[in-house]
Amino acid sequence: MALTTVRLLAQQFRLVASQSGSGSIGTVLTNWEEVDTSYDKIGNVWSQSSGIFSCANTGIYLCYWAMVINDNSGGDRFDPAIEISTDTGSNFNTRSLAWGHADNSDAPKDGTFNNQFMFDVTNTTTFRLRFVQSTSNNVSSTSTIVGNTNYTATNILFIRLGDKLWRI
């Protein structure tokens, strides 16, 4: 039996500033920064451009993500998600989804919606990942997706768990 060495990696990104909901489904969250407040990453394999994340190291990863939202109007229903592409971003598929609802009974309507999942990066050249505001119910333009450069609110965390174990 051949086993490979596990190399733990961990990086976290956050939304730099709050932004209004787009009012349309499939809008990719952009304006990310790597966390830089009391933060020590382990490795440096994740990068992003215009909300599309790329990974420079193959392996099995755990992704934890959260969207913090506030709505001051009549309520909002939405379904933030993480989507993955294995063809350099030509096609994306939902891999992790959460349902959210800002109730319309009391103002303000706040919530943190999150999920986590494991995935395998087998080809760093073609793998892409993105965080979308919603997949079938848009985030209303009266809702605010919370971001801040001084603390972590809406965020995404990647932890490399290791390699696949191959048995011979």
Side-chain angles (χ1 to χ4, degrees):
M1 172 170 43
L3 299 177
T4 57
T5 305
V6 174
R7 181 167 180 234
L8 183 66
L9 302 166
Q11 277 181 273
Q12 187 173 27
F13 296 82
R14 64 181 169 209
L15 207 57
V16 173
S18 294
Q19 61 189 52
S20 296
S22 67
S24 58
I25 61 173
T27 302
V28 177
L29 287 174
T30 59
N31 201 17
W32 295 94
E33 71 175 359
E34 188 168 5
V35 172
D36 59 1
T37 309
S38 301
Y39 166 75
D40 289 318
K41 63 186 170 190
I42 303 171
N44 189 28
V45 299
W46 286 94
S47 61
Q48 71 84 33
S49 176
S50 300
I52 306 297
F53 290 86
S54 300
C55 184
N57 199 353
T58 60
I60 306 295
Y61 287 84
L62 172 65
C63 175
Y64 172 84
W65 60 271
M67 185 169 83
V68 179
I69 198 160
N70 174 274
D71 185 272
N72 285 315
S73 66
D76 198 4
R77 183 174 171 84
F78 40 83
D79 52 344
I82 299 293
E83 298 178 338
I84 288 179
S85 171
T86 56
D87 59 5
T88 319
S90 294
N91 298 286
F92 281 89
N93 295 302
T94 300
R95 285 297 314 276
S96 179
L97 177 125
W99 281 100
H101 184 258
D103 192 2
N104 61 2
S105 60
D106 295 316
K109 299 118 187 119
D110 303 310
T112 300
F113 306 94
N114 57 67
N115 206 338
Q116 62 282 322
F117 69 106
M118 289 174 39
F119 60 95
D120 189 0
V121 176
T122 59
N123 185 332
T124 59
T125 304
T126 59
F127 182 88
R128 301 291 183 272
L129 181 145
R130 66 186 184 185
F131 193 149
V132 295
Q133 291 182 17
S134 58
T135 59
S136 62
N137 287 293
N138 65 358
V139 177
S140 168
S141 59
T142 62
S143 291
T144 300
I145 301 166
V146 180
N148 193 298
T149 192
N150 296 313
Y151 59 83
T152 301
T154 300
N155 73 94
I156 188 165
L157 169 68
F158 301 104
I159 301 172
R160 185 175 187 276
L161 302 174
D163 297 306
K164 281 189 177 178
L165 297 179
W166 296 98
R167 299 184 196 279
I168 299 177

